[in-house]
Amino acid sequence: MQSGCSIPQEEGEGGIEPTNRPDCSPTAPFINARPQHPFSSQRAHTPNAPSGTQDGSSLQSRPSQLHLLEKHPHEQAYAKISRGQSTHHHRCRHTELRRELQDQQVELSVGTMERLLNYLTLSSATSTPPEPQLAMPKSTPDISALLKLPSEIIDQILRNLPPSALLATSATCHLLRSHTENDLLWAAFVAQNLFVLPRQPFHYNTWRKLYEAHHPYWFLPKHKIWYSDKAHTGSTLVGQVVLARYDHRTGCIEAYRLLAEHGPHTFETWERNNEVIIHTFNPKISLFLDDPVVKIRPGEYGPGGRLQQEILMQGAPDRSSHGIRSTLFLSRPIPTELQMPGMALWPPSIIPATHRVRNDSPTLFKGEAHRPRTLSEMSDTTFRMRKWMEFRGPGQRLGVRMGEDVMTFSTLPTDCYTPTESKPWQGIWVGDYAGHGCEFLVVTQRDVDETRRIIPFPPEGPSFTDPDTGLLLDTSGEGAAVNPTEEEDPPGCTGRLEAIKLTGDPNVPRGEYTWVAEDIGRGGLIRVADEQMFKGARVVKSWGHIAVRGFKDGRHY
C-alpha cells in the first residue's frame, strides 16, 4: 500500500485527495497530537524535522497518512494510521472516532463510514502487531448509597449509634459530619443518662458540649442509686447509700448520702403469743445536702485522659487549709471466669450485679492495672473514692496526710428492685434494727430455685420452736386453714424473697442476708392469719440472720 493511494469514490460523494500533496504549513499540529477539531483539513507532521527520522519521515516513505474522508465545508473526518499499529488498535480508534463524531454532533453518510472502516481494515492487514498494553479504565467516583438517602433518614440512622460510633462517623466525610453535628442527637445522649432532661444546656452553648463536659461519668446520674462497702468513717461493716444526680443550675454531677430517721413508734402484743411484742415505725427519708459525697465540676477534670486519672473533688471550702480531701476514679471489672470464692469482691455474690471489682488492695488501688485504659475496659456500674485527712498550715504547700482509705461503690440493676405486677414485693426498704437504727435493705423476688436454698427448713409438723429462744415459729394447727384444693397462687405470691442489707451494723454487716423466705407460694405457705393485726396475711416459712458483735457466730433461725 503506497502513501498516494486513495479510496474509490462512490457516485454522488466527494473524492479523496492524495496524501502526498505539498501541504506542510508550519502551523499544522504534530503527528502524535490531536487537532483542535476532529475535521481539521491540516495534515499532521513535525515541522523542521529531518527527512527519514521518526518524527519527520517523508510522506512518500510512510505507509499511512492523514486522509480526508469527505470534502464538506462543515463535515470532514480524518483517520491517522501509524506504522506498527494492530487491528485491535484500529478498532479502538474507530470506536473513539465514532464517539468524537457523536460528541461534535456531526452526521456522516453511510457510505463514508463504510469506506472509513474498509480503509482501517486494509491498512491494518500489513501492519505489525505491537506489544499488548493494559488499558486503564476511567475512574468514576463511587458514592455510597448512604449519602443518597434523604436527610431525615440519615438522621434517623444516626440516632441508633452510640456516641463513640457517632464521632467515628463524623470523620468520614463532610456530609456525614454535618449530620453528626445535629444537636438533637447529643441531646438524646444526655437524656439517656438523666431522669428529666433540662429545657436547655444552660452553662453550655450546645448539648454536645454538655455531653463532652462530663464524659465518661454520665453513668453516675444514670444509675442514681449507689451503695458502698464502707461508711464515711471508714467502717468496713456499716457502708452507705448515696443518690447521684446532675444539677443543671450549677452544671455539676453530685451525689448525697441517703438518711433514714426514726419516726414515732407504736408497741403492741401479738395476739397469738403474749411474749412477742410487735412495734411499728414510720421512718423519715432524706438527703444529707450539707456534705456531698461526690461533686464533679467540669473544671475538676485534669489534663490528659480521664480514664486513668483521679478527679480531685471539693473538700474544705479553702483547699489551701486542712480538711478532708477526696478523689474519684474509675475501675476495671473482674471477668466472671476469674472470680474465685475467696476473692474480695464488691458487690458480694448474693447481690445482683453486672460487674464485680476488687475491694481490697495492699497499695490502695494506686496501680494503673486497677483502672481502665480504654472505654471497653471501664465499668459503668462501679467506681472508687479515695478519702484522707490533710493538715496544712497557712502558706504551706505541703501538709500531713493521714487516714487514707478507699471506698468502692456499686449500683443495683433496676430489674432487681423495681416492683412489677408479678413481683410486687421488690424494692429498697428501710428496716428498724432497734439500737442500731434504721438500715437500708434491697428485697428481691426471684423464682423458686432449689439449688439456691441456703439452709434446710426445720422439720415440718403442727408446730416447732427455736431451741435456744423457745419462741413459737410455726403454728399450723391454729387459725384459718389453708385450702388444700388451691391450685394456683394469688397474683404476686410466688417465688422467693431475699432481704439483703445495703447498710449494716456491727453485728450483721452490709452485703449479708437479713432474712429469707424460700417460697411465698403454696410450697412455703403455713396459714392465712386471722388475728386483727395481720388479718388476711399469708404466713410463710422464713428464717433470719443473727450474729454477735463483729459478725461472729452468725447463724440462721
Side-chain angles (χ1 to χ4, degrees):
M1 176 178 175
Q2 299 297 328
S3 60
C5 67
S6 61
I7 300 177
Q9 177 180 350
E10 296 182 2
E11 293 183 1
E13 297 184 2
I16 306 299
E17 288 187 356
T19 58
N20 56 355
R21 63 180 181 178
D23 185 7
C24 299
S25 173
T27 59
F30 293 104
I31 291 178
N32 294 330
R34 177 181 296 180
Q36 295 181 357
H37 194 277
F39 304 122
S40 176
S41 60
Q42 296 175 340
R43 290 189 299 270
H45 82 290
T46 304
N48 302 329
S51 177
T53 61
Q54 182 178 358
D55 297 332
S57 58
S58 62
L59 299 178
Q60 290 79 6
S61 62
R62 301 193 61 176
S64 59
Q65 298 295 335
L66 185 66
H67 295 262
L68 296 180
L69 299 180
E70 190 172 13
K71 285 187 176 181
H72 193 276
H74 302 289
E75 297 181 356
Q76 291 181 344
Y78 71 95
K80 183 180 66 176
I81 304 175
S82 304
R83 183 190 303 273
Q85 291 181 332
S86 64
T87 305
H88 173 72
H89 175 77
H90 294 305
R91 187 180 299 112
C92 295
R93 183 70 188 105
H94 179 60
T95 304
E96 182 180 0
L97 178 60
R98 294 184 61 182
R99 292 177 180 174
E100 293 177 355
L101 296 177
Q102 294 175 0
D103 294 341
Q104 298 295 332
Q105 299 181 354
V106 176
E107 297 181 0
L108 296 178
S109 62
V110 178
T112 304
M113 294 299 298
E114 290 180 354
R115 293 200 313 273
L116 173 63
L117 181 60
N118 294 335
Y119 182 74
L120 292 174
T121 306
L122 180 63
S123 301
S124 61
T126 58
S127 60
T128 303
E131 297 181 359
Q133 296 182 358
L134 181 62
M136 300 299 294
K138 295 182 179 180
S139 60
T140 58
D142 187 12
I143 300 178
S144 174
L146 176 63
L147 304 180
K148 300 179 182 179
L149 297 175
S151 300
E152 297 80 3
I153 299 181
I154 295 178
D155 291 339
Q156 186 64 30
I157 295 175
L158 296 180
R159 287 191 183 97
N160 299 320
L161 298 180
S164 57
L166 194 64
L167 291 176
T169 305
S170 65
T172 56
C173 64
H174 292 284
L175 178 60
L176 291 181
R177 180 179 179 86
S178 63
H179 282 281
T180 59
E181 291 178 351
N182 184 359
D183 211 31
L184 295 179
L185 297 176
W186 298 95
F189 293 143
V190 177
Q192 293 174 2
N193 300 282
L194 300 180
F195 183 72
V196 177
L197 182 67
R199 291 175 297 176
Q200 55 184 349
F202 287 98
H203 297 273
Y204 308 91
N205 296 331
T206 61
W207 292 108
R208 176 172 180 171
K209 291 183 178 180
L210 172 59
Y211 184 84
E212 293 175 349
H214 290 292
H215 177 74
Y217 293 93
W218 283 109
F219 66 90
L220 293 173
K222 177 181 180 179
H223 297 295
K224 296 183 287 293
I225 302 175
W226 300 86
Y227 60 99
S228 70
D229 59 340
K230 300 176 183 178
H232 180 70
T233 58
S235 174
T236 58
L237 299 177
V238 179
Q240 62 180 350
V241 177
V242 300
L243 295 183
R245 68 179 185 182
Y246 169 73
D247 191 351
H248 63 274
R249 298 167 299 179
T250 60
C252 302
I253 293 179
E254 304 172 341
Y256 296 92
R257 281 182 291 171
L258 189 63
L259 301 179
E261 301 178 6
H262 280 292
H265 288 76
T266 59
F267 299 92
E268 296 185 24
T269 303
W270 190 22
E271 297 178 10
R272 299 185 60 84
N273 190 336
N274 295 331
E275 296 181 2
V276 178
I277 299 177
I278 299 176
H279 72 277
T280 61
F281 76 111
N282 186 18
K284 180 182 179 182
I285 311 299
S286 61
L287 290 175
F288 187 58
L289 301 176
D290 296 339
D291 183 19
V293 179
V294 176
K295 189 167 186 177
I296 306 177
R297 295 185 176 91
E300 303 291 343
Y301 301 105
R306 298 181 180 181
L307 298 178
Q308 287 275 334
Q309 66 176 254
E310 294 191 17
I311 303 174
L312 182 62
M313 292 176 293
Q314 185 178 13
D318 185 7
R319 295 191 179 186
S320 62
S321 61
H322 60 273
I324 298 177
R325 302 288 187 267
S326 61
T327 58
L328 183 145
F329 55 102
L330 303 174
S331 58
R332 294 179 61 180
I334 302 297
T336 305
E337 59 273 12
L338 299 180
Q339 298 176 10
M340 305 299 294
M343 187 179 296
L345 297 176
W346 186 256
S349 59
I350 65 174
I351 300 180
T354 306
H355 296 152
R356 305 188 193 277
V357 297
R358 293 182 180 272
N359 68 331
D360 186 25
S361 172
T363 61
L364 297 177
F365 303 100
K366 293 183 179 179
E368 295 183 356
H370 297 287
R371 306 174 190 178
R373 290 169 294 183
T374 60
L375 286 175
S376 60
E377 297 179 352
M378 185 191 80
S379 172
D380 60 350
T381 59
T382 60
F383 68 93
R384 295 189 178 98
M385 288 192 64
R386 189 188 310 276
K387 283 183 174 289
W388 70 93
M389 180 70 72
E390 185 169 324
F391 297 93
R392 182 187 305 174
Q396 294 182 355
R397 301 183 59 181
L398 299 177
V400 180
R401 189 166 178 167
M402 300 178 60
E404 183 174 343
D405 197 10
V406 176
M407 297 184 298
T408 303
F409 285 82
S410 180
T411 188
L412 292 167
T414 56
D415 58 350
C416 78
Y417 66 85
T418 303
T420 61
E421 184 177 356
S422 60
K423 298 181 179 181
W425 307 107
Q426 290 191 148
I428 297 178
W429 297 73
V430 178
D432 186 5
Y433 287 82
H436 298 304
C438 297
E439 299 181 16
F440 291 97
L441 318 172
V442 56
V443 177
T444 62
Q445 187 173 354
R446 308 188 185 189
D447 296 333
V448 176
D449 185 2
E450 294 296 330
T451 61
R452 288 187 56 85
R453 187 180 294 274
I454 300 176
I455 61 171
F457 283 119
E460 296 186 4
S463 64
F464 57 85
T465 58
D466 184 86
D468 297 329
T469 62
L471 295 178
L472 181 65
L473 299 180
D474 185 6
T475 308
S476 59
E478 302 178 5
V482 179
N483 186 5
T485 62
E486 185 180 29
E487 297 180 356
E488 296 183 359
D489 296 318
C493 296
T494 58
R496 161 194 174 99
L497 292 183
E498 298 180 359
I500 308 171
K501 288 189 174 184
L502 298 180
T503 58
D505 52 64
N507 292 72
V508 179
R510 79 285 175 275
E512 296 290 341
Y513 287 113
T514 182
W515 56 263
V516 172
E518 295 286 355
D519 189 357
I520 63 175
R522 289 175 299 162
L525 181 62
I526 298 175
R527 65 184 181 89
V528 177
D530 59 351
E531 55 269 27
Q532 187 63 31
M533 183 179 295
F534 305 110
K535 190 173 183 179
R538 295 165 63 89
V539 181
V540 297
K541 300 176 183 179
S542 60
W543 55 265
H545 196 181
I546 60 174
V548 299
R549 192 174 183 85
F551 194 46
K552 298 178 181 180
D553 300 331
R555 52 181 175 165
H556 306 91
Y557 67 91

